[in-house]
Structures are given as structure tokens and as C-alpha cells.
């Protein structure tokens, strides 16, 4: 069976974890610090704070920018539950903007329409690995006094070329700067997930990247119960070698040394992983380009490609996490369930990303969201199907997937 996603673990990963297991620290030791430093360097951020999951990273980022009751937070309806749930954890109102039908990412027009007086943050999700239109999203947020949190669970390892004036002239070819995902201009905080299906893994794990010292300091405390250990910052307690002070409510979101040992070794292979994923995507794009009832993934206009181009840009590097086809199941006289079942019988695993979050019962009941709120997401959802995409796929696996899909779809 070829699954839709899967981790790549080699002998060096195993050696690294065993070494950590034999060391003095199982958690919160030197591996955590080293992983944070190396990841920060890789993504071009001043600070990285590693935590126990991507969800914890989102929760922490929201808390750091002081999201709370009375605040309104907008994310894409085409995402995993966590992008929205983190706002609800803090008592804020999660809300959903529709997607752009080409990139399947947050539509900036819909974001503007969804905006309210109390909108305090945008959680922009880089769906399938393709970055959102950050030049426009960050400009809008800045004008309206909101923060931008980039949920880069899918896009770690990619980079975007900005012209010298990131806000105005993206298409300028004169003097471009390459920004890794993790330090895009105007983004306040970027979050990552290291779940096994993501681009690199620590089994469970996540991280926040930020250039802001104040937010980083908050996150380090939030990760471990809000404990402050620096006596210079104590508000009431007398300093002593054992004393810590709790100034705000935090959680236990610590990640272990075992996980960070794995993460450090995975990080060394990040470029390879991204490269292999891009190769597989190119094969799929070629193979499926001429299928009548199928739409292959496209880049949004802002990436300087024009929506009909499929070739990877020379300057923008997309770290593809998912390969999503849009299939007109009605037109082929079938259903998604039937197609998934046939593929499964032929040994090809597929998945659906995502069930529109606003249609989940909890969101309907608590916020009154209903069908029709995000029409592009809803029609996208009717047709989407994610094919297998992970670096350990062999060329033979790729050919098997292509042949099987072509056998089943007209
Ligand atoms: C995986 C994922 C998360 C959550 O990450 P966990 O590590 O599973 O908690 C959040 N947002 C998106 C878009 C994801 O894909």
C-alpha cells in the first residue's frame, strides 16, 4: 500500500535518538537548544521556540499576541482544525475567510469582507505548501492594526523571492531577496508542525519562529507554565537560587531532547525532502495535465506565474506538502468514495484535505456558521482528493500512482 503521506526515517535518525536516550537529558536539555538554533538559522528567524506540537505552537503564538475574549481571529476555512481552534482556546471568536479558487489559499478579497472592527489577528495557512499572498495580507493587517500569524505547517523548507519593496512591486526582477518561510516581511510569527506526515518530523512537535524579542520571551514562558526564572524580572518574590515567578498562565508544551535529536537530523535532510517532493509533483503535473475532468495544482497570481503556469518558478521555491487534484466526480459518473475505494484496492492511499472547518458541528453550534459562508471552499471540498506525496516514494511508486489514477479516471 502506498499511503498518502509518510515519514522518512533513516539509520542516522535512529542513532541520533539513541544517543539522546543515553545522555543526561531526556527533555529540555542541549538537544532542544541546538534544534532551536539550527532551525532558526535555516528559516532566517531571530528566535525559534520548539514545542510539543504544531497545535501548541499556534496556541502559543495566539497567546503571545494577547488574543483573548472579545477578539476576532480570521483564518482560512480550508485548513486543519487547529488553525481555528487555537483562537477558541483563548476565548476569541474564530472566523473563516473563503479561498482563492486557483491557489486554494486565503482570498484577500474575502479576508477584507470578513474583517470586523475587533479583528485582531489573521492566521494565514500555506495550504499544500504554497505560501499565501503575504504582501497583501500583511499590508492589510498593518493598515488595520492586526497581527499576522503564518501557519506554515505545510510550507517549511520553501522560500519566496521579494523585490526590494516587498509590499508594492513583487514582480520586479531587478533586485530580489530570497526569504525562507519563517522570516517573511510583515509576518509577526510563523508556526511549524513536525507531525510524521509533514515535511520533516519529530514524531509529535512544533515550533514558533519570530524576530520579535518580546514575543519570543513570552513563548519561552508560556511553554512551561508561565514560569519566569530571570530574577531581574521578578515582580514580587525575593530572588533565591530556587525561585521562579509565575506572571501569566502557561502550559506544559515542552518538547523532549529525544524529539529534538531526531529533528536536528531531519533538518539536515530538509532540502533533499523538499527537492524530492518537487520532483514527484512535476511528474504528477505532467501525467495529469491532459485529463479532462481533473485540475492539477496551480500557483496563485501573486507568485508571479499567472494562474495557468505549472512550472516551478526559478526564484520561488514551493515546498509541496500535499498534491491535491480537483476531480469533477459528477462528470465522470462516480463519487469520491467510489474513486477512493478503487484506488485503495489497487494499493494507492488517498486523503481529503480538508473538511471545511466552518461546517464542523462545533463551529455551527457555537458561532452559527453554515453552508454558503465560504462558497469557494465548499465547492473545492466537493472535488478535492490528495494523492500520495512523500520523499521516500520511489519512481516506481510514482508510476504506480499515475497508472492507477489514469486507469480509474477517464
Ligand atoms: C498539521 C497541522 C497543524 C497541527 O499540527 P500538529 O502538530 O498536528 O498539532 C496545524 N495546521 C495545519 C495547517 C496542519 O496541517
Amino acid at each position: 500500500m502506498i499511503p498518502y503521506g509518510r515519514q522518512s526515517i533513516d539509520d542516522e535518525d535512529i542513532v541520533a535518538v539513541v544517543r539522546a536516550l543515553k545522555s543526561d537529558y531526556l527533555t529540555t536539555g542541549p538537544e532542544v537548544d541546538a534544534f532551536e538554533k539550527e532551525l532558526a538559522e535555516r528559516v532566517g528567524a531571530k528566535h525559534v521556540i520548539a514545542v510539543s506540537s504544531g497545535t501548541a505552537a499556534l496556541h502559543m503564538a495566539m497567546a503571545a499576541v494577547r488574543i483573548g475574549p472579545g477578539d476576532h481571529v480570521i483564518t482560512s476555512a480550508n485548513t486543519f482544525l487547529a488553525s481555528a481552534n487555537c483562537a477558541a482556546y483563548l476565548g476569541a471568536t474564530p472566523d473563516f475567510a473563503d479561498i482563492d479558487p486557483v491557489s486554494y489559499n486565503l482570498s484577500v478579497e474575502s479576508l477584507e469582507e470578513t474583517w470586523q472592527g475587533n479583528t485582531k489577528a489573521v492566521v494565514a495557512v500555506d495550504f499544500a505548501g504554497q505560501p499565501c499572498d503575504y504582501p497583501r495580507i500583511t499590508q492589510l493587517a498593518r493598515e488595520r492594526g492586526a497581527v499576522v500569524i503564518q501557519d506554515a505547517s505545510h510550507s517549511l523548507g520553501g522560500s519566496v523571492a521579494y523585490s526590494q519593496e516587498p509590499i508594492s512591486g513583487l514582480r520586479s526582477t531587478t533586485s530580489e531577496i530570497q526569504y525562507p518561510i519563517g522570516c517573511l516581511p510583515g509576518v509577526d510569527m510563523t508556526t511549524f508542525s513536525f507531525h510524521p506526515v509533514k515535511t520533516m518530523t519529530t514524531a509529535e512537535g512544533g515550533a514558533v519562529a519570530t524576530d520579535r524579542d518580546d514575543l519570543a520571551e513570552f513563548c519561552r514562558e508560556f511553554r512551561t507554565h508561565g514560569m519566569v526564572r530571570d530574577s531581574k524580572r521578578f515582580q514580587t518574590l525575593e530572588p533565591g537560587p530556587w525561585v521562579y515567578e509565575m506572571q501569566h498562565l502557561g502550559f506544559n508544551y515542552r518538547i523532549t531532547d529525544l524529539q529534538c535529536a531526531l529533528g536536528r537530523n531531519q533538518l539536515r535532510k530538509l532540502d533533499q525532502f523538499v527537492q524530492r517532493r518537487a520532483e514527484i509533483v512535476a511528474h504528477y503535473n505532467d501525467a495529469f495535465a491532459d485529463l479532462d475532468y481533473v485540475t492539477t495544482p496551480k500557483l496563485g497570481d501573486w507568485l508571479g506565474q499567472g494562474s495557468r503556469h505549472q512550472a516551478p518558478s526559478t526564484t520561488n521555491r514551493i515546498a509541496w506538502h500535499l498534491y491535491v487534484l480537483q476531480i469533477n466526480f459528477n462528470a465522470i459518473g462516480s463519487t469520491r468514495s467510489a474513486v477512493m475505494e478503487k484506488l485503495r484496492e489497487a494499493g494507492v492511499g488517498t486523503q481529503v484535505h480538508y473538511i471545511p472547518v466552518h461546517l464542523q458541528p462545533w463551529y455551527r453550534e457555537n458561532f452559527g456558521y453554515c453552508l454558503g459562508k465560504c462558497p469557494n471552499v465548499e465547492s473545492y471540498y466537493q472535488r478535492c482528493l490528495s494523492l500520495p506525496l512523500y520523499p521516500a516514494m520511489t519512481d516506481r511508486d510514482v508510476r504506480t500512482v499515475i497508472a492507477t489514477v489514469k486507469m480509474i479516471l477517464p
Side-chain angles (χ1 to χ4, degrees):
M1 185 79 183
I2 304 172
Y4 92 89
R6 185 189 152 82
Q7 69 277 12
S8 294
I9 299 292
D10 64 14
D11 290 345
E12 285 178 20
D13 290 319
I14 294 166
V15 168
V17 174
V18 171
R19 197 185 301 127
L21 201 47
K22 290 178 179 169
S23 76
D24 291 340
Y25 293 88
L26 295 185
T27 190
T28 324
E31 295 290 338
V32 176
D33 291 339
F35 179 53
E36 290 179 340
K37 279 201 190 74
E38 288 163 13
L39 185 59
E41 202 165 296
R42 176 63 178 77
V43 304
K46 189 167 174 196
H47 306 280
V48 161
I49 303 92
V51 287
S52 52
S53 70
T55 305
L58 280 162
H59 183 193
M60 191 163 82
M62 292 263 105
V65 295
R66 306 301 199 272
I67 297 298
D71 295 332
H72 182 252
V73 174
I74 306 175
T75 188
S76 168
N78 182 32
T79 187
F80 182 59
L81 304 169
S83 318
N85 288 355
C86 62
Y89 295 163
L90 293 161
T93 300
D95 201 349
F96 301 94
D98 208 348
I99 55 168
D100 162 53
V102 173
S103 64
Y104 316 142
N105 266 337
L106 204 61
S107 144
V108 183
E109 288 70 28
S110 176
L111 180 61
E112 281 196 81
E113 281 163 23
T114 313
W115 207 280
Q116 294 184 10
N118 58 345
T119 301
K120 201 164 163 190
V122 178
V123 179
V125 182
D126 297 340
F127 180 73
Q130 180 177 166
C132 297
D133 187 345
Y134 289 103
R136 287 172 69 206
I137 292 170
T138 56
Q139 184 176 29
L140 184 70
R142 184 175 318 158
E143 282 166 8
R144 299 184 182 186
V147 297
V148 176
I149 294 172
Q150 179 178 2
D151 180 347
S153 298
H154 295 187
S155 56
L156 173 63
S159 59
V160 186
Y162 277 53
S163 69
Q164 290 287 16
E165 293 164 284
I167 299 305
S168 56
L170 256 184
R171 280 158 197 271
S172 153
T173 50
T174 43
S175 51
E176 285 187 333
I177 305 177
Q178 198 76 15
Y179 289 96
I181 299 297
C183 67
L184 297 189
V187 170
D188 297 279
M189 309 190 94
T190 307
T191 70
F192 301 111
S193 163
F194 311 123
H195 182 274
V197 298
K198 304 292 161 69
T199 307
M200 54 168 265
T201 191
T202 60
E204 295 282 358
V208 167
T210 185
D211 279 348
R212 279 180 53 182
D213 298 341
D214 58 329
L215 298 180
E217 184 171 75
F218 179 94
C219 288
R220 292 193 186 286
E221 294 161 9
F222 189 81
R223 172 171 65 179
T224 177
H225 302 283
M227 286 160 66
V228 175
R229 291 196 176 274
D230 177 1
S231 59
K232 290 195 286 295
R233 295 187 43 235
F234 285 1
Q235 291 171 355
T236 58
L237 295 180
E238 278 297 317
W242 68 92
V243 181
Y244 50 82
E245 213 180 63
M246 181 184 145
Q247 297 173 357
H248 56 84
L249 185 62
F251 288 73
N252 174 1
Y253 279 163
R254 294 186 302 264
I255 189 168
T256 66
D257 262 37
L258 305 185
Q259 291 169 296
C260 288
L262 177 56
R264 290 178 71 193
N265 211 56
Q266 289 267 303
L267 190 57
R268 288 187 201 113
K269 296 177 284 186
L270 180 60
D271 286 330
Q272 271 163 258
F273 290 161
V274 169
Q275 176 63 29
R276 179 63 184 150
R277 285 170 174 272
E279 282 167 20
I280 299 167
V281 166
H283 284 306
Y284 282 165
N285 281 345
D286 279 350
F288 303 133
D290 55 355
L291 289 183
D292 286 339
Y293 303 105
V294 164
T295 307
T296 55
K298 304 280 187 286
L299 294 177
D301 279 338
W302 88 274
L303 286 165
Q305 302 266 322
S307 55
R308 266 175 284 141
H309 294 262
Q310 291 176 42
S313 158
T314 48
T315 44
N316 299 314
R317 187 158 181 241
I318 311 295
W320 291 104
H321 164 59
L322 299 173
Y323 188 84
V324 182
L325 289 179
Q326 287 270 281
I327 302 170
N328 189 343
F329 295 101
N330 289 337
I332 63 172
S334 188
T335 63
R336 177 161 51 200
S337 299
V339 169
M340 284 180 87
E341 185 56 29
K342 279 187 199 161
L343 287 165
R344 203 191 58 78
E345 280 167 13
V348 175
T350 54
Q351 199 35 286
V352 171
H353 298 95
Y354 287 99
I355 301 165
V357 183
H358 65 289
L359 299 180
Q360 293 290 352
W362 190 81
Y363 280 98
R364 290 178 189 251
E365 281 158 28
N366 286 283
F367 303 101
Y369 301 143
C370 56
L371 202 65
K373 177 174 170 60
C374 299
N376 292 345
V377 170
E378 292 159 15
S379 59
Y380 158 87
Y381 170 60
Q382 295 303 320
R383 296 181 175 202
C384 66
L385 191 66
S386 305
L387 300 187
L389 180 62
Y390 54 92
M393 283 182 87
T394 62
D395 289 344
R396 191 156 165 260
D397 292 335
V398 176
R399 284 196 298 272
T400 302
V401 173
I402 289 170
T404 310
V405 168
K406 287 191 148 180
M407 195 176 66
I408 287 165
L409 299 180

